Structure formats: C-alpha cells, structure tokens
Amino acid sequence: MFGDCTETVSILYAVVFGADGACIELSTASILMAFGAFMVLVITAQFFARKLWKKLTQVAAPVEDEFSAPPKTSPYSDDPNYRDSAIRSTRR
C-alpha cells in the first residue's frame, strides 16, 4: 500500500484535485503552501463577510441634518440675555 506510489503530489494538490493513489509529499514547502492557500481563503471570506454584514446592518434611509442653521447675514449677533449669564467676559 505505501510502497507502490506512481507519483508524489503536494498537500495542496491533493486537497484540490485529490490524491487518487498517489503519495502525498510532507515537506515544509508543501505544508507552507497549503497553509498559505488556506490563509488567503480565510482573509477573502472575512473581507466579503464584513462587506455583507455592513450592507445588512446599514440604516435604511439617511437622517437629514436637523441642526443646520440658516446662513447668517452678519458675522456676529449680540444676544441680549448674555449679560445676565454665568459666563461673562471681563470686558463689558
């Protein structure tokens, strides 16, 4: 069973295409290549999962800005109640 191999394939090749009676090479390069391919798949899946999650949790309609002030005609407008406030300028 173990002595009659016609060819030797890497781990990645065996996972993708199947070994079909061939011996599987257990070298450092073969293991790192399979691990690298696995990491690329995981990172790609995370990227698409985050995009999908952001799309699913997105607010349906954007909220309009309620605090937009009308444009001022003068750069400064004096508030008559400011003189009685707790925070005052030392110059009056």
Side-chain angles (χ1 to χ4, degrees):
M1 177 178 179
F2 293 109
D4 55 352
C5 295
T6 57
E7 65 177 317
T8 304
V9 295
S10 69
I11 295 172
L12 183 60
Y13 185 88
V15 169
V16 174
F17 300 110
D20 195 34
C23 292
I24 299 174
E25 179 183 352
L26 292 177
S27 67
T28 305
S30 177
I31 293 170
L32 289 176
M33 194 168 32
F35 182 70
F38 174 74
M39 290 305 295
V40 167
L41 288 174
V42 167
I43 290 170
T44 305
Q46 283 182 349
F47 176 75
F48 286 119
R50 286 180 183 163
K51 287 271 190 183
L52 180 65
W53 184 255
K54 186 184 282 187
K55 191 174 185 178
L56 290 175
T57 59
Q58 186 178 11
V59 178
V63 178
E64 293 183 16
D65 190 15
E66 298 175 5
F67 301 106
S68 62
K72 293 183 178 182
T73 57
S74 64
Y76 177 76
S77 61
D78 191 18
D79 186 10
N81 298 326
Y82 180 72
R83 294 178 182 253
D84 300 327
S85 70
I87 301 172
R88 291 188 297 239
S89 172
T90 57
R91 294 183 283 158
R92 294 187 208 186

